[in-house]
Amino acid sequence: MKKHILLFFFCSITAFAQKPAFTLEQIMGTPFPTELTASPTDKKIAWVQNARGVRNIWMAQAPDFQGKQLTSFTKDDGKDISQLRWSPDARTLLFVHGGGTRGSEPPNPSSDPAGSELAIYKISTEGGQPVKITDGTYPTLSPKGDSLVFLRKGQIYITTLDGGKDSRQLLKVRGSSSQLRWSPNGNQLAFVSNRGDHSFIGVFDLTSRNLRFLSPSVDTDNNPVWSPDGNQIAFIRIPAGDDVIFGPTREAEPWSILVADVATGKGKTLWKADAGVGSAYREIVSDNQIFWTANNYIVFPWEKDGWTHLYSVSAKGGNATLLTPGNFEVEYISLTTDKNEILFNSNQDDIDRRHIWRVAPASSKPVAVTQGKGIEWLPVMLSDGKTIGVLGSDALRPARALMVTNTTSFKPLVSNSLSVDFPEKLLVEPQAVTVSAVDGMPIPAQLFLPANIKKGEKRPALIFFHGGSRRQMLLGWNYGSYYHNAYALNQYFVSQGYIVLSVNYRSGIGYGMHFREAINYGEAGGTEFNDVMGAGLYLRSRPDVDGSKIGLWGGSYGGYLTAMGLSRASDLFAAGVDIHGVHDWNVGIKTFVPDYNKLEFPEKARKAFDASPLATVDTWKSPVLVIHGDDDRNVDFAETVELVKALRKRNVEIEQLIFPDEVHSFLRYANWLECFKATSDFFDRKLRNKNNP
């Protein structure tokens, strides 16, 4: 009898341990689009495509909207292209070359001996080579196109499109500046002056060279937006509060919207959040957080009912009107061409996807622009006031730049953006499941099942945790490049025979404030570990899973949860891949709050450590692969150094993959590929006893 059981087990392993149906190069080979932007005239649309680490600008134009490549970069050098900006005549595109991470020093992940740059370039929409204008970031052209302001080391500079010796510092102010906003007539410039524990809205008159701060206070003022006539500025005010927050922020001193007279600098409160739920500010994904429409409404996000929604209020004052009612969240926001409507994406009626909607500020009934089983984001309206461009994907097809033709169909702007060997027909559609955390909380997840499982087979299984934690994995290719790559690896694992569970653990987005601001999450108690355990027990209970071969993987916050699982439940989790994870919350907090001193918060600091993997490292038994770039500016490299030191003392099996000069969200495709190949090889050896060549 035992012989038959062993024979059956051997046959089961052999059945799915064959050569994968596709390679990592094939599934990761398609370009990822970002920076979609519409021209102010001539019905053009531009975006950036990252094809295997080679980034280039593309453009399409009416009437055929056939994408053409404008730049001709050829290297996977980690040099980002971002901050696309149109000239007023739509004949020139500006962009920033380099950067791509937090901090002022440009990253150099290819270890180029010549170093890297952070510079503003221009390129003609007719083609040709890019021309460097100057060193700097955040290029902002005046409405007439005759002046270009930009930032350099936190200070405001000005030049022309020709750049060169014409570049000069526009004004000298304390602190650092950001959020440059020209007045409608181009004579004045609004900006945010950051002073550490407070910030002001400044307005500089280029003619009189007068600088005025609008209604200054001890609070944090940001996101200035000009009125259509240029006489007023609306902005957000966030009251001064604690710099270091431990645990959920469901309530705070209520934030407000002020409107100030530009000539006098005097401001008044237009609207103020109610106390209680929604009193803490919640951002949307947009260059602007508030919008002043042509018909004098101000549109803004608010979590009054525990969901991130859009509201409007008359610029003259009054009560706020809810524009997007329901149990869903708005995310990517833009104005229509006439500035009288809002385009946005949300998970309305489709909690694990995203679709595009439009709404007028005087109305409360959004109209669907897209529907179906796809995922759409970053909506922009072209200068004709009708055509809408989006970025979109679905379960089988990765992200592409698209033109909306009707609510369920799209025209790709690049007809052959998918590589010829992309394995679309070999992918699986993940299914939505709900996992019960060990404390009883229902946790959304996506289950990936191989197509060839036979009755009675038991497969090894993997659990994936996203980073953030303010992220959400979807029922398809993700809209974030990091999680787009993670989705690709999960599909690859399925092709190799693994069962994969992608967990949207508490403290993530998409399911409302109370899920996101979960009690005692993160450094306040690590309650997400309940979700880790619930996911493991769910898989172990499945008849198609080998309960002794469950692995964990994830990056950043996902690395933290991977390490939590291995340090606290090595009897359940057989192996893990921890990619730039947080291992001591007191180190992690300091990365984002540099002046944090745990001695000032002894009780909270102790609790933060207790919620960290290093607190329970003595019970860590399972082998782990740690992966980290040593120029990581989001999770300090010291997090991995300290973990490895602690595990070595306890004779835990450790493997390492370290990328010199690489940052948090790996900028080089070669490093992503090496990371994923090492991850796959590690799990094959630890969960399948298979040595890859």
Side-chain angles (χ1 to χ4, degrees):
M1 182 65 179
K2 290 183 178 179
K3 180 179 180 180
H4 292 148
I5 292 174
L6 290 173
L7 180 60
F8 172 76
F9 178 75
F10 176 77
C11 291
S12 297
I13 293 291
T14 304
F16 68 82
Q18 297 172 353
K19 184 178 179 180
F22 54 84
T23 66
L24 276 168
E25 287 86 349
Q26 287 174 317
I27 196 166
M28 294 182 64
T30 59
F32 184 80
T34 57
E35 299 280 332
L36 190 71
T37 178
S39 64
T41 186
D42 286 352
K43 292 184 284 188
K44 298 175 182 176
I45 189 167
W47 66 99
V48 175
Q49 288 201 162
N50 181 346
R52 301 191 181 196
V54 180
R55 298 160 172 87
N56 278 294
I57 298 173
W58 285 68
M59 187 195 78
Q61 183 177 8
D64 58 350
F65 291 111
Q66 292 295 321
K68 68 174 182 177
Q69 186 175 318
L70 292 182
T71 57
S72 54
F73 295 105
T74 59
K75 294 181 179 179
D76 173 24
D77 54 12
K79 295 179 180 178
D80 208 1
I81 294 178
S82 62
Q83 302 168 33
L84 255 58
R85 303 287 188 268
W86 289 96
S87 62
D89 62 8
R91 296 179 180 177
T92 304
L93 275 164
L94 305 181
F95 65 95
V96 171
H97 194 227
T101 187
R102 298 173 62 249
S104 58
E105 179 186 357
N108 184 19
S110 63
S111 302
D112 186 342
S116 189
E117 69 173 353
L118 198 57
I120 300 168
Y121 282 75
K122 66 179 179 180
I123 189 166
S124 168
T125 58
E126 298 301 317
Q129 293 300 310
V131 176
K132 182 176 178 178
I133 298 176
T134 186
D135 292 326
T137 60
Y138 296 100
T140 308
L141 271 169
S142 65
K144 297 178 183 178
D146 55 348
S147 296
L148 171 67
V149 292
F150 60 96
L151 297 176
R152 184 185 294 167
K153 295 182 178 180
Q155 294 297 312
I156 304 173
Y157 285 72
I158 190 168
T159 187
T160 65
L161 275 177
D162 293 331
K165 296 181 180 180
D166 292 331
S167 299
R168 59 183 173 84
Q169 191 168 348
L170 181 62
L171 68 162
K172 297 180 180 180
V173 293
R174 289 182 57 237
S176 62
S177 299
S178 62
Q179 300 178 27
L180 310 180
R181 305 284 190 268
W182 285 103
S183 62
N185 62 12
N187 293 331
Q188 299 181 87
L189 181 73
F191 62 97
V192 174
S193 179
N194 304 289
R195 307 295 178 92
D197 57 2
H198 65 285
S199 63
F200 302 138
I201 304 298
V203 177
F204 181 69
D205 190 305
L206 278 75
T207 302
S208 67
R209 298 196 61 78
N210 178 59
L211 172 63
R212 175 176 287 112
F213 293 107
L214 306 182
S215 192
S217 74
V218 301
D219 301 317
T220 297
D221 295 342
N222 55 45
N223 286 283
V225 58
W226 289 88
S227 63
D229 61 12
N231 294 326
Q232 296 175 293
I233 287 178
F235 58 92
I236 291 172
R237 172 161 290 175
I238 300 175
D242 294 334
D243 291 331
V244 182
I245 302 296
F246 293 84
T249 306
R250 296 184 176 183
E251 299 181 12
E253 186 69 25
W255 66 283
S256 57
I257 298 174
L258 276 69
V259 173
D261 181 79
V262 174
T264 65
K266 294 182 178 180
K268 62 179 181 179
T269 299
L270 175 73
W271 172 89
K272 187 176 183 179
D274 297 337
V277 173
S279 52
Y281 184 70
R282 163 79 170 145
E283 286 190 349
I284 50 176
V285 184
S286 175
D287 287 341
N288 299 302
Q289 293 295 301
I290 57 176
F291 302 85
W292 199 318
T293 67
N295 49 5
N296 281 311
Y297 283 91
I298 293 177
V299 179
F300 58 94
W302 187 20
E303 280 192 309
K304 168 63 178 175
D305 60 359
W307 297 84
T308 306
H309 283 305
L310 293 178
Y311 289 76
S312 69
V313 63
S314 169
K316 297 179 180 179
N319 295 325
T321 299
L322 173 61
L323 301 179
T324 58
N327 292 343
F328 62 89
E329 298 190 333
V330 301
E331 198 168 30
Y332 285 79
I333 317 294
S334 66
L335 270 174
T336 55
T337 305
D338 63 8
K339 298 184 178 181
N340 278 328
E341 287 187 278
I342 300 290
L343 293 175
F344 66 95
N345 83 332
S346 76
N347 55 353
Q348 180 176 350
D349 304 326
D350 203 349
I351 199 74
D352 292 319
R353 295 187 180 91
R354 299 287 189 274
H355 301 302
I356 310 299
W357 301 75
R358 62 192 300 170
V359 68
S363 168
S364 59
K365 188 176 178 62
V367 176
V369 176
T370 66
Q371 295 175 320
K373 295 180 68 175
I375 298 165
E376 299 88 40
W377 66 98
L378 197 54
V380 296
M381 180 172 281
L382 272 63
S383 57
D384 62 359
K386 300 177 182 178
T387 311
I388 296 175
V390 300
L391 301 180
S393 66
D394 57 34
L396 306 181
R397 288 170 293 183
R400 297 176 295 167
L402 306 167
M403 203 68 69
V404 178
T405 54
N406 60 53
T407 57
T408 58
S409 63
F410 309 89
K411 170 184 167 55
L413 297 181
V414 182
S415 58
N416 59 345
S417 63
L418 297 182
S419 56
V420 293
D421 58 352
F422 180 75
E424 178 180 343
K425 295 182 179 180
L426 300 177
L427 305 186
V428 301
E429 293 194 29
Q431 53 187 274
V433 297
T434 300
V435 173
S436 179
V438 293
D439 61 358
M441 185 172 181
I443 301 300
Q446 289 102 37
L447 181 66
F448 297 72
L449 291 175
N452 62 342
I453 296 181
K454 297 177 181 179
K455 187 176 181 179
E457 279 188 314
K458 286 185 175 292
R459 300 292 184 89
L462 297 173
I463 303 174
F464 168 70
F465 303 107
H466 62 71
S469 61
R470 306 311 199 222
R471 305 287 187 271
Q472 182 189 18
M473 297 304 289
L474 306 173
L475 289 171
W477 291 84
N478 202 271
Y479 52 71
S481 61
Y482 190 116
Y483 306 106
H484 192 266
N485 289 339
Y487 184 87
L489 183 55
N490 283 335
Q491 287 280 2
Y492 179 74
F493 282 138
V494 176
S495 78
Q496 291 186 302
Y498 291 95
I499 291 172
V500 178
L501 185 69
S502 177
V503 180
N504 281 331
Y505 53 90
R506 72 188 76 185
S507 77
I509 62 169
Y511 307 105
M513 174 195 291
H514 290 87
F515 186 87
R516 187 187 76 242
E517 302 295 335
I519 298 300
N520 294 331
Y521 82 88
E523 67 268 30
T527 52
E528 300 97 324
F529 178 66
N530 293 305
D531 311 346
V532 177
M533 287 296 295
L537 294 173
Y538 164 80
L539 285 178
R540 193 169 70 177
S541 71
R542 289 183 61 91
D544 50 6
V545 170
D546 182 343
S548 67
K549 297 183 181 299
I550 300 175
L552 306 173
W553 82 278
S556 194
Y557 212 108
Y560 159 68
L561 292 181
T562 294
M564 286 285 276
L566 298 177
S567 69
R568 299 186 180 195
S570 279
D571 57 335
L572 177 58
F573 303 116
V577 177
D578 174 354
I579 306 171
H580 42 234
V582 173
H583 306 125
D584 179 353
W585 273 118
N586 289 300
V587 176
I589 294 169
K590 195 171 179 62
T591 301
F592 291 90
V593 187
D595 58 353
Y596 168 65
N597 183 351
K598 65 182 182 180
L599 298 179
E600 295 180 13
F601 309 92
E603 183 59 28
K604 291 182 177 179
R606 181 197 60 77
K607 195 172 184 179
F609 181 75
D610 288 345
S612 305
L614 282 174
T616 49
V617 72
D618 285 341
T619 56
W620 187 320
K621 305 300 179 186
S622 300
V624 63
L625 167 63
V626 295
I627 302 176
H628 212 148
D630 87 322
D631 191 23
D632 193 326
R633 305 170 193 192
N634 291 50
V635 175
D636 198 299
F637 189 68
E639 296 269 21
T640 294
V641 173
E642 294 304 311
L643 177 68
V644 169
K645 287 164 57 177
L647 293 179
R648 280 175 173 166
K649 291 179 180 178
R650 291 156 179 85
N651 296 314
V652 175
E653 182 182 347
I654 315 162
E655 297 183 21
Q656 301 180 49
L657 177 59
I658 304 302
F659 297 118
D661 301 322
E662 183 59 281
V663 297
H664 190 67
S665 296
F666 304 148
L667 289 170
R668 297 191 65 217
Y669 167 79
N671 291 341
W672 275 111
L673 197 59
E674 187 176 355
C675 169
F676 284 179
K677 285 184 174 181
T679 298
S680 175
D681 174 69
F682 178 81
F683 282 132
D684 279 351
R685 288 184 284 109
K686 302 306 174 185
L687 302 183
R688 295 169 56 181
N689 301 317
K690 175 185 174 184
N691 291 314
N692 289 332

